[in-house]
Amino acid sequence: MLNKFTRFTLLPALLSSAIRLSASTLSDTTATVTRNPIEISMSAASSLAVNAALTELLKRSVDRMRPNGEDSHSFPSRHTSWAFTASTILSNELYNHSPWWAVGAQAAASAVGFQRVATRHHYGSDVIAGAGLGIVSTQFSYWLCGKLLNHKAEKRLPVSDNDFRPSVAMTSEAVFNMGSDIATGFGVAIKGLLPLSPLWGLAMTLRGNTAPVVVNDTYLNPLNAYGASVGAAGHFRLPVKALAIETTLQAGMMRLLAVKGWPHSRYGFEGDIDTSLNWRLTPSFAFAATIGYRIVSTPSAVSAMTFGISSIAVF
């Protein structure tokens, strides 16, 4: 049924960097509270503990065979869950200093998820569940630690004016393919926006997708694809100054890698439309949640709903 809808060694060093940076003067003028090393350490440690507990509980409770037949603990992806926990910790602590911390951390976590599907260790839905689990468990732990350790501090969400400026976004997305032999997939994308007016501009996206091919309940191999698309972008500010709606309409080409036993074209046309809720946290960093529709020819048309999260560097 899931098919249908379907101890990083660098972490201690990176957390140490986060503690040293957060203890210093923040470079972003919109920050209102400087976090202390004890609160950072407690938030990070509790995030790791909560994530590990929930991930292992689900792994032992859900009996799902891996695509490679190795064992029946496929759901959710442990590696992806850990990776997105680490990514969210680093993003929470360091986005004030540079947006590239958050963009880079999400890119690394997304690469882990992509690799787990492409190498037949997991289905796309396993990776999507792991990513969601990592993000949610970390944000919950940060909220709880904030309540317990810093309950008297002024609680204000960071905000900055969400004007339309050039940006580069790193997106991790769930791809829910509909009505085909292609099951739920996982994708990564880098999207650039170049404003031509306060409301309109150009968009360009480089994208990679991986999705299992399942024919008559038999797993064949992942369909891996990469490509580029270009199009138009709109940016519509909301009454809350930190929020904006962004929408893009793009078209391009995809290179489809071979899947043994499932004939398809080497190249396919891609068209997609998506809408994002964009939240500008600092003058140079934003976060966005996106929903979209995509169609790719293989050569028969394959349509999909997409749901993504993005870390955005703003210039």
Side-chain angles (χ1 to χ4, degrees), residues 59-287:
K59 268 197 172 293
R60 305 302 169 183
S61 302
V62 179
D63 183 23
R64 188 185 198 189
M65 186 65 65
R66 293 181 187 272
N68 60 12
E70 185 178 287
D71 58 45
S72 59
H73 301 308
S74 185
F75 183 91
S77 167
R78 181 188 291 116
H79 287 78
T80 309
S81 186
W82 288 348
F84 272 89
T85 296
S87 168
T88 309
I89 291 171
L90 292 174
S91 297
N92 282 343
E93 300 300 342
L94 299 177
Y95 76 84
N96 279 305
H97 302 277
S98 170
W100 297 110
W101 282 103
V103 172
Q106 184 174 340
S110 298
V112 172
F114 195 97
Q115 184 270 346
R116 301 307 288 172
V117 179
T119 58
R120 301 187 60 184
H121 286 87
H122 286 284
Y123 293 100
S125 53
D126 302 336
V127 164
I128 294 163
L133 191 60
I135 295 169
V136 171
S137 61
T138 302
Q139 293 301 92
F140 170 77
S141 298
Y142 266 69
W143 172 82
L144 184 61
C145 285
K147 287 285 188 180
L148 297 177
L149 301 178
N150 201 19
H151 62 281
K152 293 183 179 180
E154 181 183 9
K155 295 293 190 303
R156 292 175 56 190
L157 294 175
V159 294
S160 185
D161 192 23
N162 203 327
D163 52 346
F164 196 17
R165 289 192 277 146
S167 63
V168 173
M170 176 67 218
T171 301
S172 310
E173 59 184 9
V175 184
F176 294 94
N177 295 291
M178 300 180 290
S180 74
D181 297 330
I182 307 175
T184 297
F186 181 74
V188 295
I190 300 175
K191 178 186 289 186
L193 296 182
L194 179 63
L196 299 179
S197 77
L199 293 178
W200 303 100
L202 299 177
M204 178 177 179
T205 301
L206 301 176
R207 175 178 289 112
N209 293 319
T210 181
V213 176
V214 182
V215 179
N216 297 325
D217 295 325
T218 300
Y219 180 92
L220 299 182
N221 260 316
L223 173 62
N224 299 321
Y226 58 89
S229 59
V230 295
H235 182 93
F236 310 99
R237 299 171 66 174
L238 298 177
V240 178
K241 73 172 187 175
L243 300 180
I245 297 293
E246 286 187 348
T247 185
T248 63
L249 176 64
Q250 299 183 81
M253 297 294 294
M254 295 290 287
R255 173 69 167 92
L256 310 171
L257 303 188
V259 178
K260 186 177 180 180
W262 193 72
H264 62 82
S265 302
R266 294 179 60 191
Y267 294 92
F269 167 82
E270 175 197 25
D272 65 269
I273 182 171
D274 61 55
T275 300
S276 303
L277 177 61
N278 187 303
W279 176 16
R280 186 78 57 80
L281 283 81
T282 78
S284 60
F285 176 73
F287 174 84

